[in-house]
Amino acid sequence: MPAPRASAVAIVFVANGLGGPSFLARLPERQSALGLSDAALGLTLVGMAVGAMVASPVVGRLVSRVGSRRVVVVAAAGLGASLWTAGAAPNAPGLFAALAVVGATDAAMDISMNANGAAFEDHSGRSVMHGLHGAWSLGALAAGGIAAAGAATGVPLTVHLALAGGVIAGSVLLTRSALVSGDAVARVATGSDRAADGPAPPAADSGRRLVRPIVILAAATVGGAVIEGAPSDWSAIQMERLGVAAGVSALGYAGFMAGMVAGRFAGDRLTDRFGGAAVLRGGTSLVAMGLLVGIAVNHPAAFAVGLVLAGLGAAGFFPLAFSAAARTPGVSPGSGAATVSLAARLGFMLEPVLMGALADLVGLRWAFGLVAGVALLMAATAYRIIPAACRPVAVRLADVREP
């Protein structure tokens, strides 16, 4: 069996980035074809989060039981096979159901690939999580560019999504042998975290030590999902309302993803130098600044620049969150990833409802002010969200290639 390779894990992240963004970048087409208001579209998009929330607890346990590699391969096949249905659904209930299936398979892939990435960090003794999430952003950026080209040239959305699904499933199948295997068994077998900490504390004290960081991290993850979800879901629609053509509007989403790519590939170095909390504070402050510029100027060029800045600032949160959750003492990588993923899905479920309702009340332009407010709140509490104890450290694992 070949040794695990970071490049193989990165390919899985790229593949996952091609999923939801391929659909979301062409969301105005679906809204127009189905005749949905902003509020109705927001409720329909909840389907993706509902499917993900149902799947997340089950997937977390499954990763711990059978290992992340097996789960990620099955999840990628499921996402690839179901993605086209989001373009073919004939009405809002059908789209809700299609997005629920897409959301469930996407969540399964998300949890298992992040658990595999955390296991690779432990196996190799080096930080790669920001880079892996940067690879996801590359996939999402490519999805946005391809979607823009598809919309401009009239490629049917169903055909576009079917082709993207084939790439997702095929790329993961081709690289599966170089992913980390046996990760759940390896972490449990070593017991390195517990051994290093000495005798276990009293049960009540232990509960406080474990629950409090996870609860704070989960609450912040809901906010992080709002920050990342709103530009993903609504940037193309807002660009069209500012007067740009349909083929150009998808580039607003691509600009947000471009900022995330740059931020994530710089994230590992910045985190090693300044710490996760400082990276989170600076990043969320940049999100707020970018969105407030777009709101104040109300011009497509200013909004696009604001999206790039918002993507750059939002880049660090999820790599930091998944890394911190996987390193919480007594929590396996699968369970930690599932906790963050479940909280994120809750945020992704709330975000379109809140944004759609606010857009109907005060306009989509001003609804982005909610996202800026969430970013400012996270900047103010960054050192509680990512405490110093959650900084990545090398954790010795038994070689996953050993029986």
Side-chain angles (χ1 to χ4, degrees):
M1 179 183 297
R5 298 196 308 269
S7 59
V9 187
I11 288 172
V12 176
F13 275 74
V14 172
N16 185 257
L18 292 172
S22 291
F23 168 72
L24 292 173
R26 296 183 68 174
L27 192 57
E29 294 179 41
R30 291 266 68 195
Q31 183 180 25
S32 177
L34 299 179
L36 300 175
S37 68
D38 287 343
L41 178 63
L43 290 172
T44 303
L45 291 175
V46 168
M48 184 175 287
V50 168
M53 290 183 68
V54 171
S56 292
V58 177
V59 174
R61 291 192 295 270
L62 193 60
V63 167
S64 296
R65 180 174 298 178
V66 305
S68 57
R69 186 176 72 172
R70 292 182 181 179
V71 178
V72 80
V73 171
V74 174
L79 179 59
S82 63
L83 187 60
W84 68 273
T85 62
N91 49 42
L95 181 57
F96 184 97
L99 290 177
V101 176
V102 170
T105 53
D106 179 69
M109 190 173 176
D110 178 44
I111 292 167
S112 52
M113 73 186 188
N114 275 286
N116 204 266
F120 183 88
E121 285 189 323
D122 289 341
H123 176 74
S124 64
R126 59 191 177 94
S127 175
V128 297
M129 193 64 82
H130 284 274
L132 292 176
H133 281 255
W136 184 94
S137 296
L138 280 178
L141 179 61
I146 293 169
T153 57
V155 176
L157 179 58
T158 303
V159 173
H160 167 204
L161 295 180
L163 292 173
V167 173
I168 292 168
S171 59
V172 174
L173 286 172
L174 288 174
T175 58
R176 68 188 186 278
S177 62
L179 301 176
V180 178
S181 62
D183 45 317
V185 173
R187 176 175 287 272
V188 171
T190 59
S192 55
D193 290 340
R194 183 174 297 177
D197 292 338
D205 182 61
S206 176
R208 284 193 295 271
R209 287 174 181 269
L210 296 178
V211 171
R212 188 165 174 260
I214 287 293
V215 170
I216 293 173
L217 184 60
T221 300
V222 174
V226 171
I227 289 173
E228 187 170 321
S232 299
D233 291 345
W234 301 96
S235 61
I237 294 172
Q238 176 64 3
M239 288 287 284
E240 282 198 3
R241 292 180 183 178
L242 289 171
V244 304
V248 179
S249 65
L251 295 180
Y253 176 82
F256 180 71
M257 284 296 109
M260 294 196 77
V261 169
R264 284 178 170 171
F265 282 119
D268 286 318
R269 293 189 298 274
L270 291 173
T271 301
D272 287 342
R273 181 171 181 179
F274 300 108
V279 170
L280 178 60
R281 173 168 288 179
T284 47
S285 297
L286 192 59
V287 170
M289 182 179 73
L291 293 179
L292 290 173
V293 166
I295 293 169
V297 178
N298 199 35
H299 186 277
F303 185 63
V305 170
L307 288 171
V308 174
L309 292 176
L312 186 65
F317 176 75
F318 279 105
L320 291 169
F322 277 109
S323 185
R327 286 168 177 79
T328 300
V331 178
S332 70
S335 297
T339 299
V340 171
S341 183
L342 185 60
R345 305 303 168 168
L346 176 60
F348 286 128
M349 182 176 69
L350 292 174
E351 172 270 313
V353 177
L354 292 173
M355 287 291 291
L358 279 174
D360 275 358
L361 287 173
V362 300
L364 186 55
R365 170 191 177 186
W366 299 107
F368 275 99
L370 168 69
V371 187
V374 172
L376 288 173
L377 178 62
M378 291 179 65
T381 57
Y383 285 88
R384 306 235 7 226
I385 297 169
I386 307 292
C390 290
R391 293 186 67 173
V393 294
V395 178
R396 186 185 181 279
L397 287 176
D399 191 334
V400 294
R401 292 166 291 169
E402 295 176 358

